[in-house]
Amino acid sequence: MDTVLVTGATGTVGSALIPALQARGSAVRAMTRGRAIDGVETVVADLRDPASIAAALKGVDAVFLNSPSAPDAAELQIQFANLARDAGVNRLVLLSQYAARADSPVRFLRWHAEVEAHVEKLGLDYTVLRPNLYLQALLNFSATISQGFFAAPIGDAAVSAIDTRDISAAAAAVLTSSGHSGRTYTLTGPRAVTHAEIAAALSAAAGRDIAFHDAPADQFAAALTGLLPSWQIDGLVEDYAHYARGEAAEVHTSVADLTGHAARDLTDFALDYAAAFAAL
């Protein structure tokens, strides 16, 4: 039985990845910064503490590397990947982002591209997953959804947004099967949707009106001031400009190809999370 180390184990993707791996027969070691996870081996480690990372990697066959929310995320992931190589880890699956490239105007995409390029040179059996906008990110709009709306600077541009449960299922498939070495998979939903269509789906599922309001970038940033650090706000504004330019609308079949089931549609997500949106 292979042992898989899951970083970001308490996050949206990591928490769903753990049971997906267990269902495939893998032993899972969950890496957290202190919180124990029921039913799985938990190791406490911090990406800023190389000694704790080295200890967490002992006896591990494969690693799922998720990006931390930090301005030095690329540096931290590169350090982790080096430590994984030194520990003799056989397989590394890197969670990147849709359209990552070194010359992108979006800082997050440049950071992910930097990590991808580094991992490619390490000589590991590696695979890159590039998911598009998370549908679960809509839960972050709870403050305004409770008032009946959410806003973003995206206009009527469509995005092939993905349910994070499909990201986890795809990661589990790659971590537990062969034929993925050196491959990059772009993960999307089954269609591109506008934010107005998202609002309509949430309204239908929740049984109440939830509207989408297009918002200027400066207004969007002002609403986030005090809630997020400035570097993250600036990065999100760049992300949404990327979406608004229509650069994130392509649909890929990687979820179905890897897992054997179609990616969840927006309507599936809305129905599954109806109680959350109805309660806001």
Side-chain angles (χ1 to χ4, degrees):
M1 181 184 292
D2 286 345
T3 299
V4 181
L5 177 68
V6 176
T7 68
T10 60
T12 307
V13 175
S15 60
L17 175 57
I18 290 170
L21 286 168
Q22 291 175 320
R24 287 175 170 266
S26 292
V28 180
R29 182 179 296 172
M31 193 179 101
T32 76
R33 286 185 290 180
R35 197 182 101 192
I37 298 177
D38 291 339
V40 67
E41 178 190 2
T42 303
V43 291
V44 176
D46 192 303
L47 289 177
R48 300 186 186 282
D49 180 0
S52 71
I53 297 298
L57 287 164
K58 286 182 180 177
V60 166
D61 301 292
V63 168
F64 175 73
L65 178 54
N66 199 346
S67 176
S69 179
D72 56 349
E75 178 184 332
L76 293 172
Q77 288 182 94
I78 286 170
Q79 175 180 260
F80 183 100
N82 289 341
L83 291 167
R85 174 202 57 197
D86 296 344
V89 171
N90 298 320
R91 180 176 297 181
L92 186 148
V93 174
L94 175 67
L95 189 66
S96 183
Q97 188 175 342
Y98 182 106
R101 69 176 200 269
D103 63 346
S104 174
V106 182
R107 68 193 67 195
F108 299 150
L109 300 185
R110 294 195 301 271
W111 296 353
H112 283 298
E114 181 183 355
V115 180
E116 287 185 18
H118 183 79
V119 167
E120 184 179 353
K121 296 183 291 187
L122 288 179
L124 293 172
D125 177 344
Y126 77 93
T127 306
V128 176
L129 302 179
R130 291 180 174 175
N132 208 345
L133 174 66
Y134 295 179
L135 284 170
Q136 276 76 359
L138 291 162
L139 296 167
N140 296 329
F141 290 93
S142 60
T144 60
I145 289 178
S146 65
Q147 302 171 47
F149 75 96
F150 64 101
I154 192 173
D156 60 359
V159 180
S160 53
I162 184 170
D163 191 302
T164 56
R165 294 171 294 181
D166 289 327
I167 301 171
S168 300
V174 170
L175 284 159
T176 58
S177 62
S178 59
H180 309 292
S181 184
R183 300 287 300 275
T184 296
Y185 297 106
T186 297
L187 306 179
T188 72
R191 61 187 173 114
V193 294
T194 66
H195 274 47
E197 290 172 323
I198 291 173
L202 296 183
S203 298
R208 67 187 187 90
D209 289 337
I210 300 171
F212 167 67
H213 298 163
D214 187 34
D218 56 352
Q219 182 179 319
F220 178 73
L224 294 173
T225 300
L227 301 175
L228 297 174
S230 59
W231 66 267
Q232 194 167 16
I233 294 172
D234 292 342
L236 286 172
V237 168
E238 292 167 1
D239 256 342
Y240 272 95
H242 158 65
Y243 302 143
R245 290 191 296 268
E247 297 170 354
E250 283 189 4
V251 173
H252 293 250
T253 62
S254 296
V255 169
D257 296 340
L258 291 169
T259 68
H261 65 73
R264 291 172 176 84
D265 189 72
L266 164 64
T267 54
D268 300 319
F269 164 82
L271 288 170
D272 289 347
Y273 285 82
F277 291 109
L280 293 174

